[in-house]
Amino acid sequence: MSPSISTLGERELIARLQQRVSPPPAHVRIGIGDDAAVIAPARNMDDVVTTDSLVEGVHFRRDWSTAEAIGHKALAVNLSDLAAMGATPRASLLSLALPADFPLADFDALLDGYLALSAASGAVLVGGNLTRSPGPLIVDVTALGSVGHRHVLTRTGARKGDELYVTGTIGAAAAGLAMLQAGRDRERADDAARSCLERYERPEPRLRCGRIVGRTRAASAAIDLSDGFSDAAWRLAEGGNVGLVVDAAALPVAAGARAWAREASQDAVDFAMGGGEDYEIAFAVPARRRSRFRAAVRRCSGLTVTRVGVFGGAAGVWLERDGAKAPLPRAGFAHF
Amino acid sequence: MSPSISTLGERELIARLQQRVSPPPAHVRIGIGDDAAVIAPARNMDDVVTTDSLVEGVHFRRDWSTAEAIGHKALAVNLSDLAAMGATPRASLLSLALPADFPLADFDALLDGYLALSAASGAVLVGGNLTRSPGPLIVDVTALGSVGHRHVLTRTGARKGDELYVTGTIGAAAAGLAMLQAGRDRERADDAARSCLERYERPEPRLRCGRIVGRTRAASAAIDLSDGFSDAAWRLAEGGNVGLVVDAAALPVAAGARAWAREASQDAVDFAMGGGEDYEIAFAVPARRRSRFRAAVRRCSGLTVTRVGVFGGAAGVWLERDGAKAPLPRAGFAHF
């Protein structure tokens, strides 16, 4: 049994954290240890900033995910927001509310998960905050990045005639969560199921893709799928004040999500579109930019994109299936 | 009885928040409502960023503080960090973890407290996050500001011969908290006691003072007193790798803190120096800059500063009292 964090004081925990952090790059003028961090802005770029929390019992359970995975995911969900803006990560802040019984080994592992992704992405840890929690473990992250004025991707640019693309596959994270909820034995899971568990626990933000699509101005709008595909589709349509028709047959539902839905006697498309936490990106792409967009994506080693719909037509979002169109339910991941 | 937030969905709560927010100034290129916010950096300035949380049951109690005061304080403690760097606030992010039974009227009041200070300080709300909490209310804030390269105040600049100054008075917030813990009747409190309660609940970040002292380069180092005077004194001494002698008789202990300490049969100086949450600023000032520093402070309408010590001498921090010197206990506000 590892000792708990309450055997150490705040200063000792911060010292433990600082030992794990690499020396900061030049743009971080003042990092961890002062009243605030000081960062030189990227030349001729705008700052991009976002924050998102993971709350124990709401977004994760400690008996389902390792502390390392929780640390990774807390940063990943923020980097996914930067990716969807076309931004490049430059810094991050980590704010932890820790239950008194939180094991010190888990504190270290959480930092390891966070710092590995921080190092790989450029989101250098420059500050944060440690406090006690009388309840759940809460991991609150702020990520900062930069983007050129003309390269920023927003939710509001979709126009009539633009095509809707989505990266990777959808439904995998929701299937992974459902498997955990059903108590599925991880050791006996097949590859497709295991990849769903992995997607739920360790999402990979589509940073390179967002950045290249932004820089090449290949898309008119973008959003990440944090709250699920349906929610993202609705937001892009509303943001552009335009209708949207989604082709059910085209949706890249993950193999593990299809298998899970079959087992649970659910419709695979409905299941995949309604589930949150995919952390893929949906792009609106003007038809005349299609080849530019495809070329941009080819530079994102191994990442697939799929055309799944077209903007225009009647207001709202419609699902076309077997020749019939029906309104797409808006349901996204509900937080309250 | 006000209905609780759980009668609304996340989207409705965000809409409610957006109704309360003023249109953003020009430097906020993209505010609330996209994947992330986009902010134009201030010309020829560095970015300054900090984060701090208030956790119910650790930093506040809902039966002691109004929701309006909690919203104010959550932003104020972050702005105090910017002030101690000499920075000017430009933006902020608000991340709320809300218990299901949190009254909607309190949600509104918390936002009102936050947004009033946000408007007064320039820390425009540009984004954030709402999530459910299975435990305490948690208010996590990130504040962003700007500072000129040569105007930044750090904790590490104090040198032998520099003088230690502190703004305002100390001990008031600790006395206010002690009164609440003792169940003191607010209605029957005298002016000095009431001002302690006010300081505990609604600290005023010393933004103007930090900015002017930074811009005029009147100080060699600065820190805010979030964790108490003793902690700040130790950090400035260690940051400058220099000793420090504090003059007990000079310490500007708040009248209400003196009265409280007398009543509780405690030493007023010990009480005031050990208590956290003053959110005043301690400055190290080279002797040759003394008049420049005093002139800078005169521009901060009504704010007093007091010289309370001198850097130099034996390593460590020493309290000089009635002609004798003793080591100053380091005790600051403990979070774990």
Side-chain angles (χ1 to χ4, degrees):
Chain A
M1 195 60 198
S2 156
S4 87
I5 51 142
S6 58
T7 57
L8 299 184
E10 187 192 10
R11 255 193 298 273
E12 289 160 298
L13 285 175
I14 292 174
R16 208 172 166 98
L17 184 157
Q18 280 183 302
Q19 283 166 7
R20 299 181 120 75
V21 176
S22 315
H27 70 268
V28 179
R29 295 190 194 272
I30 299 175
I32 297 169
D34 217 301
D35 290 282
V38 179
I39 301 168
R43 212 180 152 80
N44 296 324
M45 306 278 260
D46 281 339
D47 292 331
V48 184
V49 58
T50 188
T51 187
D52 214 345
S53 318
L54 298 187
V55 178
E56 181 179 357
V58 179
H59 303 99
F60 67 88
R61 280 174 51 166
R62 278 197 267 158
D63 54 344
W64 286 354
S65 296
T66 63
E68 191 274 341
I70 294 164
H72 169 94
K73 186 166 175 175
L75 179 55
V77 302
N78 280 278
L79 297 182
S80 179
D81 282 326
L82 294 189
M85 301 299 287
T88 301
R90 304 182 82 228
S92 66
L93 302 166
L94 171 62
S95 195
L96 290 170
L98 301 164
D101 68 354
F102 194 62
L104 204 48
D106 284 354
F107 176 80
D108 293 343
L110 192 154
L111 290 178
D112 287 343
Y114 186 97
L115 291 171
L117 181 56
S118 159
S121 65
V124 185
L125 182 63
V126 297
N129 182 51
L130 296 181
T131 183
R132 190 160 58 78
S133 168
L137 168 64
I138 300 193
V139 189
D140 200 283
V141 173
T142 296
L144 295 102
S146 64
V147 70
H149 310 316
R150 299 170 64 233
H151 300 154
V152 62
L153 295 165
T154 71
R155 296 180 176 181
T156 57
R159 297 290 171 260
K160 181 168 182 265
D162 289 0
E163 297 170 340
L164 177 65
Y165 287 81
V166 64
T167 61
T169 58
I170 64 173
L177 173 58
M179 288 171 199
L180 289 167
Q181 285 168 332
R184 178 61 49 96
D185 186 347
R186 188 182 301 245
E187 301 310 313
R188 292 165 61 189
D190 64 12
D191 282 356
R194 212 169 276 145
S195 107
C196 290
L197 290 166
E198 177 80 6
R199 282 282 294 282
Y200 171 71
E201 288 182 347
R202 299 182 53 87
E204 288 300 330
R206 302 306 186 192
L207 284 164
R208 186 171 163 80
C209 182
R211 188 167 59 234
I212 295 177
V213 171
R215 279 199 192 151
T216 55
R217 308 186 71 204
S220 56
I223 186 173
D224 86 328
L225 302 193
S226 47
D227 290 338
F229 176 87
S230 310
D231 179 78
W234 272 98
R235 288 183 192 263
L236 287 180
E238 288 177 348
N241 200 16
V242 62
L244 170 61
V245 180
V246 173
D247 176 4
L251 288 166
V253 178
R258 285 192 194 278
W260 177 262
R262 197 163 43 237
E263 217 182 298
S265 306
Q266 286 183 52
D267 181 84
V269 166
D270 291 348
F271 175 81
M273 284 196 311
E277 304 206 270
D278 275 322
Y279 301 107
E280 298 292 352
I281 301 183
F283 293 102
V285 178
R288 69 180 187 289
R289 299 256 163 107
R290 193 186 299 153
S291 57
R292 187 193 290 197
F293 177 73
R294 291 277 185 191
V297 171
R298 274 195 296 276
R299 293 168 57 194
C300 306
S301 33
L303 188 65
T304 58
V305 293
T306 310
R307 183 170 59 183
V308 296
V310 178
F311 290 91
V317 179
W318 304 83
L319 186 64
E320 189 161 32
R321 201 168 189 175
D322 307 324
K325 263 190 238 175
L328 179 71
R330 168 141 209 170
F333 183 74
H335 295 275
F336 289 96
Chain B
M1 196 59 199
S2 157
S4 86
I5 50 142
S6 58
T7 57
L8 298 183
E10 187 193 10
R11 255 192 298 272
E12 289 160 298
L13 285 175
I14 291 174
R16 208 170 167 100
L17 183 157
Q18 280 184 303
Q19 283 167 9
R20 298 181 120 75
V21 176
S22 313
H27 70 268
V28 179
R29 295 191 194 271
I30 299 175
I32 298 169
D34 216 300
D35 290 283
V38 178
I39 302 167
R43 213 179 150 81
N44 296 323
M45 306 279 260
D46 281 339
D47 292 331
V48 184
V49 58
T50 188
T51 188
D52 215 344
S53 318
L54 297 187
V55 178
E56 182 180 356
V58 178
H59 304 99
F60 66 89
R61 280 174 50 166
R62 280 197 266 158
D63 54 345
W64 286 354
S65 296
T66 64
E68 191 273 342
I70 295 166
H72 169 95
K73 187 166 175 175
L75 179 55
V77 302
N78 280 278
L79 297 182
S80 179
D81 283 326
L82 294 189
M85 301 299 287
T88 301
R90 304 182 82 229
S92 66
L93 302 166
L94 172 61
S95 195
L96 290 170
L98 301 164
D101 68 353
F102 194 63
L104 205 47
D106 284 354
F107 176 79
D108 293 344
L110 192 154
L111 290 179
D112 287 344
Y114 186 98
L115 291 171
L117 181 56
S118 158
S121 65
V124 184
L125 182 63
V126 297
N129 181 52
L130 296 180
T131 183
R132 188 160 60 79
S133 168
L137 169 64
I138 300 193
V139 190
D140 200 284
V141 173
T142 296
L144 295 104
S146 64
V147 70
H149 309 315
R150 299 171 64 232
H151 301 152
V152 61
L153 295 165
T154 71
R155 296 180 176 180
T156 56
R159 298 291 171 261
K160 183 166 180 265
D162 289 1
E163 297 170 341
L164 178 65
Y165 287 82
V166 64
T167 61
T169 58
I170 64 173
L177 174 59
M179 289 171 199
L180 289 167
Q181 284 168 333
R184 178 61 49 95
D185 185 347
R186 188 182 301 244
E187 300 310 311
R188 293 165 62 189
D190 64 12
D191 283 356
R194 214 170 273 145
S195 107
C196 290
L197 290 166
E198 178 79 7
R199 283 281 294 282
Y200 171 72
E201 288 182 347
R202 298 181 54 85
E204 287 301 330
R206 303 304 188 192
L207 284 164
R208 187 172 163 80
C209 182
R211 188 166 58 234
I212 296 177
V213 171
R215 278 198 192 153
T216 56
R217 310 187 69 205
S220 56
I223 185 172
D224 85 329
L225 303 193
S226 46
D227 290 338
F229 177 88
S230 311
D231 179 78
W234 272 99
R235 288 183 193 263
L236 287 180
E238 288 176 347
N241 200 18
V242 62
L244 170 61
V245 180
V246 174
D247 176 4
L251 289 166
V253 179
R258 286 190 195 279
W260 177 262
R262 198 163 44 236
E263 220 183 295
S265 306
Q266 288 183 50
D267 180 83
V269 166
D270 290 347
F271 175 81
M273 285 196 311
E277 305 206 272
D278 276 322
Y279 301 108
E280 299 291 352
I281 301 183
F283 293 102
V285 178
R288 68 181 188 287
R289 300 255 163 106
R290 194 186 298 153
S291 57
R292 186 192 290 196
F293 177 72
R294 291 278 185 190
V297 171
R298 275 195 297 276
R299 295 169 57 195
C300 307
S301 34
L303 187 66
T304 58
V305 293
T306 310
R307 183 171 57 183
V308 297
V310 179
F311 290 90
V317 180
W318 304 83
L319 186 65
E320 189 162 32
R321 201 168 190 176
D322 308 324
K325 263 190 242 174
L328 179 71
R330 166 142 212 171
F333 183 75
H335 295 275
F336 289 95

